[in-house]
Amino acid sequence: MPSPHRAFRRAWLVTALATGLVAAVAAGCSSPPAPAGETEPAAQTGRTAQARDARAAAPSDPSGPVLAFADARLAETADALAPPAYPVRTNPDGTWLTKEPEDWTSGFFPAALWRVFERTQDPVWRERAERWQAPLAPEASHDDTDLGFKMFMTFAVDHELTGDESAKQTALAAADTLAARFNPTVGMLRVWDDRDDEEKYQVNIDAVMNLELLYWAGQNGRPQYTDIANRHANRTMTDLVRPDGSTFMFAGYDQRTGDLVRNYTEQGARDDSTWARGQAWAAYGFAMAYRYTRDPRYLDTAHRTADWFLGHLPPDRVPYWDFSVPQAPPEPRDTSAAAVTASALLDMNTLDTDPGRKDADVDGARGMLASLSSPAYLSRDTPFRSVLLHGTQNLPTGQADSGIMFGDYYFVEALSRWERQVGPSAQLTAG
């Protein structure tokens, strides 16, 4: 039975959500104050603290009404814009900034449309997904881009959902292009080309997300690509995941010897900081790698990185853009990192066999999804065309505090997973 102290906290937070205090959080990018006589610990660690705060703050099940809202937003975008102008992030007035198919983010919008089709089986959504996907086909041969993001979640998913053979062949061609970037001396896939330094070999934590294209190809006629994906994942565990479960963004190698030269960042606060979305990519990517391989090291790494992420969240469960900056305004949040990690935890929930661990996975996702579904972060009743507000794509280049299409994709994916695994009528508050 909850203590009077916890009951008071739960009642206060639920009342705050109901009376609009969370909207003030969105406006100021800060967390609600603690009730009189109660102070938040400086750093909460582990899923026990996470589950306590999530259950206290969660107002209701987010899946049904919020999914309907997200679907409506995606439909508006699909019908208001036209390919090949792909929505990336929102402008200050709430409209979409668009990019060409060559941009690394171009696959996320058609990918989101495929996820809605998967859930609804409505042919209108299939038509939208196919229309927006079509201009991406030439990207199968585009070197020096994130082909996993761009081509797995579109053409490979298309094949999985519809059986379309041409989509399968396009995805396999993209896997061929990605696999050609593997350097056996380094044992990793090169991420960025550096034309000024032939010996510089750059790999980021994001690259673990590209491995699904190779794992899928390994099951669809390219068995040799599974070994490439495993070798990349193995060295990522060694060189980009720290012993405490936090992550570096980048590793640089000497491709002649395979030696690690340095760890550094491009989008985080410092070379030794923990960039929020990078931490999310790690949790998601290693859960996915375990799903394909059943290598227990990958699931352990997924849990360690997710635990670290959850243990360093602010009280409302949505991270600031980097865990090493002051966790308060004016530092911007990154809702996309919360959406990615929530989806990763629900993937882990299908993979874990221990009931306690499965409960922790759901608890972790619950806290973030409830907060993302609140007025603090959902774009309902705003001029923004995105589903989520307050995403940070790349703060060092000024891309902060906007809607982001990949944040919307992972939010829709996470809510769809929640609906399948927990149910649309499940309560998010503690029983």
Side-chain angles (χ1 to χ4, degrees):
M1 183 173 182
S3 68
H5 185 69
R6 283 189 61 187
F8 173 78
R9 175 174 172 77
R10 179 180 295 115
W12 180 86
L13 284 167
V14 172
T15 301
L17 287 163
T19 57
L21 282 178
V22 175
V25 176
C29 284
S30 62
S31 301
E38 180 178 7
T39 58
E40 286 290 339
Q44 296 182 11
T45 58
R47 294 190 181 185
T48 301
Q50 190 280 335
R52 181 196 66 214
D53 286 343
R55 286 168 174 161
S60 62
D61 176 10
S63 58
V66 178
L67 266 176
F69 169 74
D71 290 355
R73 276 284 196 261
L74 293 172
E76 289 168 2
T77 296
D79 298 339
L81 301 179
Y86 290 90
V88 176
R89 60 183 178 274
T90 54
N91 295 305
D93 65 357
T95 59
W96 282 112
L97 172 73
T98 62
K99 293 282 190 176
E100 64 286 340
E102 291 78 10
D103 193 78
W104 74 272
T105 65
S106 60
F108 287 108
F109 183 57
L113 302 178
W114 278 120
R115 289 307 177 198
V116 182
F117 170 71
E118 178 184 33
R119 174 167 38 83
T120 65
Q121 294 299 297
D122 185 336
V124 171
W125 288 100
R126 176 175 177 174
E127 184 280 327
R128 286 177 176 138
E130 289 174 338
R131 175 163 52 91
W132 276 92
Q133 173 181 279
L136 297 178
E139 291 296 294
S141 60
H142 181 185
D143 199 5
D144 195 20
T145 189
D146 286 294
L147 286 171
F149 284 132
K150 193 180 297 185
M151 307 301 283
F152 172 79
M153 297 188 304
T154 52
F155 292 94
V157 169
D158 176 359
H159 172 69
E160 290 181 343
L161 295 179
T162 71
D164 186 277
E165 184 62 25
S166 65
K168 177 182 179 180
Q169 295 306 315
T170 300
L172 287 173
D176 294 339
T177 301
L178 177 59
R181 296 182 68 80
F182 182 72
N183 181 317
T185 302
V186 179
M188 303 190 86
L189 298 151
R190 180 198 294 266
V191 172
W192 289 349
D193 289 333
D194 188 333
R195 294 174 177 82
D196 297 326
D197 186 350
E198 289 292 330
E199 304 305 328
K200 192 174 182 181
Y201 201 92
Q202 302 181 91
V203 180
N204 60 9
I205 192 66
D206 318 38
V208 74
M209 299 291 287
N210 287 317
L211 301 185
E212 188 158 17
L213 180 61
L214 297 182
Y215 281 127
W216 172 85
Q219 296 178 350
N220 287 273
R222 306 284 197 276
Q224 68 275 23
Y225 292 171
T226 298
D227 180 65
I228 291 176
N230 287 338
R231 290 185 64 185
H232 183 102
N234 293 344
R235 189 146 196 193
T236 299
M237 285 191 299
T238 300
D239 295 347
L240 287 162
V241 180
R242 302 183 184 112
D244 67 353
S246 64
T247 56
F248 293 105
M249 183 184 180
F250 264 95
Y253 298 91
D254 185 328
Q255 63 183 339
R256 297 166 300 183
T257 64
D259 293 339
L260 175 66
V261 176
R262 66 185 181 114
N263 289 108
Y264 61 101
T265 193
E266 293 285 348
Q267 292 176 236
R270 305 187 308 269
D271 286 347
D272 63 348
S273 73
T274 301
W275 176 50
R277 195 164 70 251
Q279 191 72 18
W281 292 144
Y284 190 110
F286 281 104
M288 172 273 297
Y290 176 77
R291 177 161 31 89
Y292 280 91
T293 66
R294 292 304 194 263
D295 185 329
R297 295 175 300 166
Y298 298 158
L299 187 59
D300 175 69
T301 303
H303 281 306
R304 288 196 302 114
T305 52
D307 283 343
W308 195 98
F309 187 101
L310 293 170
H312 290 78
L313 288 176
D316 74 349
R317 319 316 295 162
V318 176
Y320 290 86
W321 70 284
D322 190 293
F323 286 105
S324 302
V325 301
Q327 303 294 285
E331 300 291 347
R333 305 289 186 126
D334 185 11
T335 50
S336 74
V340 171
T341 306
S343 191
L345 285 163
L346 291 170
D347 194 16
M348 292 180 218
N349 180 52
T350 67
L351 301 170
D352 283 318
T353 56
D354 177 75
R357 180 62 85 172
K358 290 174 75 68
D359 286 346
D361 296 333
V362 172
D363 281 340
R366 176 187 286 114
M368 288 181 285
L369 290 179
S371 196
L372 293 176
S373 300
S374 75
Y377 297 108
L378 200 66
S379 71
R380 197 194 305 272
D381 300 323
T382 78
F384 283 81
R385 297 297 88 199
S386 58
V387 178
L388 292 176
L389 306 170
H390 304 304
T392 295
Q393 183 171 345
N394 187 337
L395 186 139
T397 62
Q399 300 167 12
D401 202 17
S402 71
I404 305 176
M405 179 47 68
F406 55 77
D408 288 357
Y409 168 81
Y410 287 103
F411 185 52
V412 168
E413 182 184 76
L415 288 173
S416 298
R417 286 175 167 176
W418 179 277
E419 191 171 72
R420 289 195 300 270
Q421 297 171 34
V422 184
S425 62
Q427 293 299 308
L428 289 178
T429 51

